[in-house]
Amino acid sequence: MKKKTLRRILSFTKPYRGFVLCNLLTAAVTVAAGLLIPIFCGNAIDAMIGAGKVELSLVTQAVVLVALVTVVSAVAQKLMALSGNRITYSVCRDLRNKVSAKMHKLPVSYADTHSVGDTVSRTVTDVDTFADGLLMGFTQLFSALLTIGAVLGVMLYLNPVIALAVVVLTPLSILVARFIATRTHRHFLAQATVRGEETGLANELIEGARVVKAFGHEDESLAAFDEVNGRLESASMKATFFSSLVNPSTRVVNNLVYAVVALICALYAGTGAITIGALSIFLSYASQYAKPFNEISSVITELQNAVSCATRVFEFLDAEEEVPDPTAPSSPEERGAVALKNVSFRYTPDRPLIEGLCLEVSQGQRVAIVGPTGCGKTTLINLLMRFYDVTGGEISVDGADIRKMTRKELRSRYGMVLQDTWLKAGTVRDNIAYGRPDATEEEIVAATKQAHAHSFIRRLPQGYDTKIVENGSNFSAGQRQLLCIARAMLALPPILILDEATSSIDTRTELKIQDAFATMMKGRTSFIVAHRLSTIKEADVILVMKDGKVIEQGTHETLLRANGFYATLYNSQFAVI
């Protein structure tokens, strides 16, 4: 899995081959400069040994060469950093774009079964952590590996015996780092997973702060957060502890390499086999050879964390998408006729919810759906909108199977007002025109007047330009619902779905809105889900659902005369207790 993730990460760098090549070339120049400077310094040392034997021209030449190489190295390092940044943040931009596109391809069932906080953590925090690790990989890892190989090659050329000693000791450092790194990945993965869980819990507690306080649940909420936070602390401590072992462990081995090189060089210098300048060159190379191992140990820690986070992001990207739209979609004339033919549906294979549901709705009919909680009313709406696909049977709109239409085409025929309101961050005007961005100011105002929202909008500090914060929390529940009703009235599609559309509105305003709805529903097919049965008396057809089946069907008067389940529901709302 880890190798697969690394290959997938590298595939994201393909569009930026030019910057990758620039990064590699500048890293090579930087390493070459690091190899040349000790040689120049060693030559200068040899030119100054012995009283009165200083060869000033050679020393001056070495100083000039060191200065030139240092300038070239500085420019190369700057270019390497710039190219590394461009690669990293371009890859992260592309990854976030894929994540954003993926969100719109996921079925509603994904949102129903995954924590919002965990999804946010995957798409924000994990991508940021991945960026940090990738940046370190491009700015340090390649140059460190190149330095190790180049230094070893030069040492092998200058003195095979010293190089052989280094080669013999090098595997110790690699084995130690590998041993620790292989045990670090699972701890970073656990850390990222628990972090997502904590984000989800924090999001839940913040959104439900009023309910938590209302029920005096602060201590229990704190205890739940402390438990998750404790697991995050434990996972983080383990990940940090094991990753922190790499650096000191490799330093011990690297210092041993340096000491061995210094001892061998001293023995050679004592016999005159190498000069003092050559000794300084080897010691510089030994130091350069050891340094990348320490850098790599730090990079490995970040890379382990980055790979763990990338794994979680790729899991999100690999989540099962909605069934793709047909290649040759149907686009029937918009009329508003809906038919359900022997429809069956279940959320889980072993628990049937709707079985054998049949319904014919003609253009312009008003269909009310009633029944006890959990009978399948909202599920039926979800099936009509194709948020879920039926597991049996067929739903058709205007004579075409909705599975043979594109989702955009299908949903453009519906206008929805739900009990759970949703407003996006933006102005009041933006939210009302969400379904019709090209609507004129006059049309927007007319829709708000029909929804009886114009009066309260006019009293807002900036009127229609008033900013709505996330989820509309700076508006009351009733105001949010009025804005959602205005949004539907502006769109005016051929089919309307009203799912407890006036549940948060006072009775006086509700009566006015019912009149507006009656006007809006003329000539339009309407599905009305309501618990207050007094609001659906004028429906052309009332479907009474129980346990996923339509058990009664007819007008209000017909169902009351039948004295069945509907009559019991209706009379219970007016019973004297």
Side-chain angles (χ1 to χ4, degrees):
M1 176 62 74
K2 187 176 173 183
K3 290 180 180 179
K4 182 181 178 182
T5 302
L6 287 172
R7 285 197 299 270
R8 196 164 176 182
I9 290 171
L10 291 176
S11 70
F12 276 85
T13 65
K14 287 182 179 179
Y16 310 102
R17 293 186 184 93
F19 290 106
V20 172
L21 182 61
C22 176
N23 189 270
L24 299 180
L25 290 175
T26 51
V29 171
T30 303
V31 171
L35 294 176
L36 289 173
I37 289 175
I39 294 175
F40 297 147
C41 292
N43 292 339
I45 291 172
D46 285 339
M48 293 186 293
I49 292 177
K53 294 182 180 179
V54 176
E55 298 180 44
L56 192 58
S57 60
L58 292 178
V59 173
T60 303
Q61 183 184 28
V63 170
V64 171
L65 289 173
V66 168
L68 288 174
V69 171
T70 301
V71 170
V72 172
S73 178
V75 172
Q77 286 182 10
K78 179 66 175 178
L79 291 174
M80 182 174 67
L82 289 174
S83 58
N85 287 341
R86 174 59 68 90
I87 296 165
T88 297
Y89 295 115
S90 294
V91 167
C92 288
R93 178 200 61 204
D94 295 344
L95 190 58
R96 281 202 172 97
N97 285 340
K98 281 185 173 292
V99 167
S100 179
K102 181 72 176 186
M103 284 182 182
H104 299 290
K105 295 178 182 178
L106 292 173
V108 173
S109 57
Y110 185 91
D112 290 343
T113 55
H114 290 77
S115 160
V116 174
D118 182 65
T119 302
V120 170
S121 181
R122 288 174 190 259
T123 57
V124 179
T125 307
D126 288 344
V127 174
D128 283 339
T129 305
F130 165 71
D132 293 338
L134 190 63
L135 184 60
M136 287 193 71
F138 276 108
T139 56
Q140 296 183 29
L141 184 60
F142 178 74
S143 58
L145 293 173
L146 193 60
T147 298
I148 292 171
V151 168
L152 196 58
V154 173
M155 290 177 72
L156 189 62
Y157 173 76
L158 295 176
N159 192 307
V161 175
I162 298 174
L164 184 62
V166 171
V167 169
V168 170
L169 293 172
T170 296
L172 288 176
S173 182
I174 296 174
L175 290 172
V176 168
R178 180 177 175 80
F179 176 79
I180 298 171
T182 53
R183 284 154 181 77
T184 305
H185 174 72
R186 67 173 181 269
H187 294 298
F188 275 118
L189 186 59
Q191 179 189 30
T193 302
V194 179
R195 188 193 298 125
E197 186 180 342
E198 185 180 62
T199 304
L201 180 60
N203 183 72
E204 177 185 289
L205 293 177
I206 291 169
E207 287 187 349
R210 288 185 177 86
V211 177
V212 171
K213 290 181 178 295
F215 284 89
H217 213 266
E218 293 91 343
D219 292 340
E220 290 84 350
S221 298
L222 284 171
F225 188 85
D226 286 344
E227 189 274 330
V228 176
N229 205 28
R231 285 193 283 119
L232 178 60
E233 177 196 22
S234 176
S236 300
M237 287 293 292
K238 288 177 181 177
T240 304
F241 173 77
F242 281 101
S243 64
S244 299
L245 289 176
V246 178
N247 195 290
S249 301
T250 54
R251 280 182 182 275
V252 170
V253 178
N254 295 336
N255 289 335
L256 178 61
V257 171
Y258 187 86
V260 170
V261 171
L263 178 61
I264 296 174
C265 286
L267 293 174
Y268 272 112
T271 60
I274 61 172
T275 64
I276 300 300
L279 186 148
S280 72
I281 292 172
F282 276 110
L283 290 179
S284 295
Y285 282 168
S287 178
Q288 285 190 39
Y289 182 80
K291 185 180 178 182
F293 281 99
N294 297 328
E295 290 180 353
I296 289 173
S297 64
S298 299
V299 171
I300 285 174
T301 300
E302 291 297 326
L303 284 178
Q304 290 285 345
N305 199 2
V307 170
S308 299
C309 291
T311 300
R312 282 169 44 80
V313 175
F314 291 147
E315 284 176 358
F316 177 80
L317 291 176
D318 292 336
E320 187 176 353
E321 298 181 359
E322 288 183 321
V323 176
D325 286 329
T327 53
S330 300
S331 183
E333 180 186 353
E334 290 189 1
R335 300 192 311 274
V338 179
L340 288 82
K341 303 172 184 176
N342 200 30
V343 168
S344 299
F345 176 75
R346 53 186 68 192
Y347 288 106
T348 56
D350 57 333
R351 294 185 64 186
L353 178 59
I354 295 177
E355 293 289 337
L357 177 57
C358 295
L359 177 65
E360 290 279 347
V361 183
S362 303
Q363 178 184 355
Q365 272 195 313
R366 283 179 288 179
V367 180
I369 308 169
V370 301
T373 300
C375 68
K377 299 187 297 296
T378 301
T379 298
L380 179 57
I381 299 302
N382 287 336
L383 295 177
L384 289 173
M385 294 289 293
R386 208 187 166 196
F387 291 146
Y388 288 86
D389 277 326
V390 298
T391 52
E394 174 188 313
I395 298 177
S396 63
V397 171
D398 295 326
D401 188 334
I402 62 174
R403 289 169 294 190
K404 295 179 180 177
M405 301 169 66
T406 65
R407 289 177 175 83
K408 186 174 182 179
E409 169 74 22
L410 171 67
R411 291 166 187 168
S412 67
R413 298 168 187 248
Y414 290 105
M416 289 185 69
V417 182
L418 304 179
Q419 181 177 3
D420 298 325
T421 58
W422 179 83
L423 298 174
K424 73 183 185 75
T427 65
V428 169
R429 181 183 290 100
D430 293 338
N431 276 273
I432 295 172
Y434 192 74
R436 275 189 60 196
D438 58 342
T440 64
E441 185 74 15
E442 290 75 16
E443 289 173 326
I444 292 172
V445 172
T448 58
K449 285 181 177 178
Q450 276 188 303
H452 298 277
H454 178 68
S455 58
F456 92 80
I457 294 173
R458 192 178 52 190
R459 293 193 299 270
L460 295 173
Q462 284 83 41
Y464 284 84
D465 293 316
T466 301
K467 293 289 185 182
I468 296 177
V469 301
E470 183 184 7
N471 293 327
S473 57
N474 55 333
F475 284 75
S476 71
Q479 288 173 332
R480 291 198 298 270
Q481 203 157 45
L482 288 175
L483 292 177
C484 291
I485 292 170
R487 183 163 62 196
M489 288 185 167
L490 179 64
L492 285 181
I495 305 174
L496 294 173
I497 294 177
L498 308 176
D499 188 351
E500 288 294 326
T502 57
S503 60
S504 300
I505 298 170
D506 63 274
T507 305
R508 182 169 173 272
T509 305
E510 181 184 11
L511 292 174
K512 294 179 180 179
I513 290 177
Q514 291 294 348
D515 292 336
F517 276 157
T519 302
M520 185 171 64
M521 287 187 287
K522 285 181 180 177
R524 291 182 174 81
T525 305
S526 305
F527 292 88
I528 308 162
V529 177
H531 287 293
R532 283 182 281 187
L533 303 186
S534 58
T535 64
I536 59 170
K537 291 180 181 178
E538 304 303 320
D540 297 310
V541 180
I542 298 175
L543 303 180
V544 185
M545 295 188 69
K546 185 179 181 183
D547 300 327
K549 294 182 174 63
V550 176
I551 60 172
E552 294 179 11
Q553 181 174 334
T555 63
H556 174 70
E557 291 77 10
T558 302
L559 292 174
L560 284 182
R561 284 197 299 270
N563 199 29
F565 189 71
Y566 176 81
T568 303
L569 284 177
Y570 183 80
N571 292 325
S572 67
Q573 295 192 1
F574 304 99
V576 178
I577 300 175

